[in-house]
């Protein structure tokens, strides 16, 4: 069985990162894609049991879009975003809120469209958040993805998380690191070693089960 992780970019003009690991957490593939056709070819090649996408796959209740000019409104005006994002914020994990002021609006649109397309083809997608996974696995000192030291930080830790990564370490970038983290979370989810934050109405984000121990301590 294979597990796929995707670090999706906003536009097909940018390369999105993709990785695949097997059920023993061995790296099978690290690469990239721009358009959905290439992605579909890779999905057909590996037939992953679970595909983990590190982008919002749903909108908050009450919103049909994220356009400021649209009359749709959050069902609870006092909320900043989805239930999953509010739960992350209460844990002290920074995240983007999915609302009409979101700076990742176009990324959300692309991810939602991709989710619908792949689900119609019978594939299992889950939403993940690589930064939250890193914090849970590696502690609060995880540097932001945009900081220069973040790549070195991840290259130092990935060998302890997935097998066979050494051959890729020299060439992988931040996107590839997040794709690997997402694939690892997909494996944890399939093993029932993940917790879910969120709701049925707004969707869930899968996180390592260490979340429960952290919140109960």
């Amino acid at each position: 069985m294979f597990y796929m992780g995707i670090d999706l970019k906003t536009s097909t003009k940018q390369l999105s990162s993709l990785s695949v690991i097997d059920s023993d957490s061995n790296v099978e593939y690290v690469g990239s894609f721009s358009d959905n056709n290439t992605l579909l070819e890779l999905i057909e090649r590996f037939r992953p049991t679970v595909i983990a996408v590190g982008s919002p796959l749903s909108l908050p209740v009450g919103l049909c879009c994220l356009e400021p000019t649209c009359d749709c409104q959050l069902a609870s005006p006092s909320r900043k975003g989805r239930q999953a994002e509010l739960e992350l914020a209460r844990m002290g994990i920074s995240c983007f809120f999915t609302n009409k002021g979101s700076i990742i609006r176009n990324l959300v649109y692309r991810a939602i469209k991709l989710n619908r397309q792949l689900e119609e083809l019978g594939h299992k997608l889950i939403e993940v958040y690589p930064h939250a996974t890193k914090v849970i696995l590696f502690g609060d000192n995880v540097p932001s993805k945009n900081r220069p030291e973040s790549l070195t930080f991840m290259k130092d830790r990935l060998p302890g998380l997935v097998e066979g990564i050494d051959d890729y370490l020299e060439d992988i970038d931040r996107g590839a690191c997040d794709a690997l983290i997402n694939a690892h979370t997909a494996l944890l989810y399939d093993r029932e070693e993940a917790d879910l934050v969120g709701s049925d109405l707004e969707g869930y984000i899968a996180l390592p089960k260490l979340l429960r121990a952290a919140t109960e301590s």
Side-chain angles (χ1 to χ4, degrees):
M1 293 187 292
F2 296 113
Y3 302 89
M4 180 176 288
I6 296 175
D7 180 60
L8 194 65
K9 301 301 184 192
T10 301
S11 169
T12 56
K13 295 179 181 179
Q14 302 170 287
L15 286 176
S16 297
S17 299
L18 181 146
S19 71
V20 177
I21 63 174
D22 66 17
S23 56
D24 294 320
S25 201
N26 294 300
V27 178
E28 293 289 333
Y29 181 86
V30 177
S32 60
F33 66 94
S34 56
D35 59 82
N36 287 357
N37 289 333
T38 304
L39 172 60
L40 290 172
E41 290 173 3
L42 289 167
I43 291 174
E44 183 63 26
R45 172 181 167 186
F46 289 102
R47 305 298 298 177
T49 302
V50 181
I51 302 170
V53 182
S55 308
L57 300 180
S58 58
L59 295 175
V61 173
L63 294 188
C64 68
C65 67
L66 300 177
E67 301 303 317
T69 55
C70 182
D71 292 334
C72 64
Q73 297 292 330
L74 287 165
S76 300
S78 60
R79 290 175 54 181
K80 294 181 179 180
R82 299 178 300 162
Q83 179 65 29
E85 295 153 355
L86 297 175
E87 291 184 39
L88 289 175
R90 285 195 290 269
M91 293 167 54
I93 297 176
S94 61
C95 64
F96 292 108
F97 289 103
T98 304
N99 56 37
K100 292 197 175 188
S102 176
I103 63 173
I104 60 169
R105 178 179 59 187
N106 290 331
L107 174 61
V108 175
Y109 287 162
R110 185 182 184 191
I112 290 175
K113 183 178 180 179
L114 180 64
N115 183 36
R116 290 171 179 165
Q117 180 182 6
L118 294 181
E119 284 191 338
E120 288 176 359
L121 294 173
H123 299 292
K124 173 65 177 179
L125 270 72
I126 61 170
E127 180 180 336
V128 296
Y129 181 33
H131 176 68
T133 297
K134 294 174 200 174
V135 169
I136 293 167
L137 293 178
F138 306 133
D140 294 333
N141 64 334
V142 175
S144 167
K145 182 179 177 180
N146 295 324
R147 290 171 58 181
E149 63 268 30
S150 67
L151 183 57
T152 300
F153 182 93
M154 288 307 303
K155 285 186 175 184
D156 288 343
R157 286 158 180 79
L158 281 173
L161 201 65
V162 291
E163 301 292 332
I165 188 62
D166 292 342
D167 292 339
Y168 299 93
L169 280 179
E170 184 176 348
D171 298 322
I172 60 175
D173 58 13
R174 296 178 182 88
C177 289
D178 277 2
L180 285 161
I181 284 289
N182 295 345
H184 175 72
T185 310
L187 173 59
L188 294 180
Y189 174 86
D190 194 48
R191 288 177 174 173
E192 298 185 354
E193 295 177 8
D195 279 325
L196 301 176
V197 295
S199 68
D200 288 339
L201 291 176
E202 294 181 324
Y204 293 93
I205 296 175
L207 302 170
K209 196 173 278 289
L210 290 175
L211 167 65
R212 181 173 296 132
T215 56
E216 290 178 352
S217 62

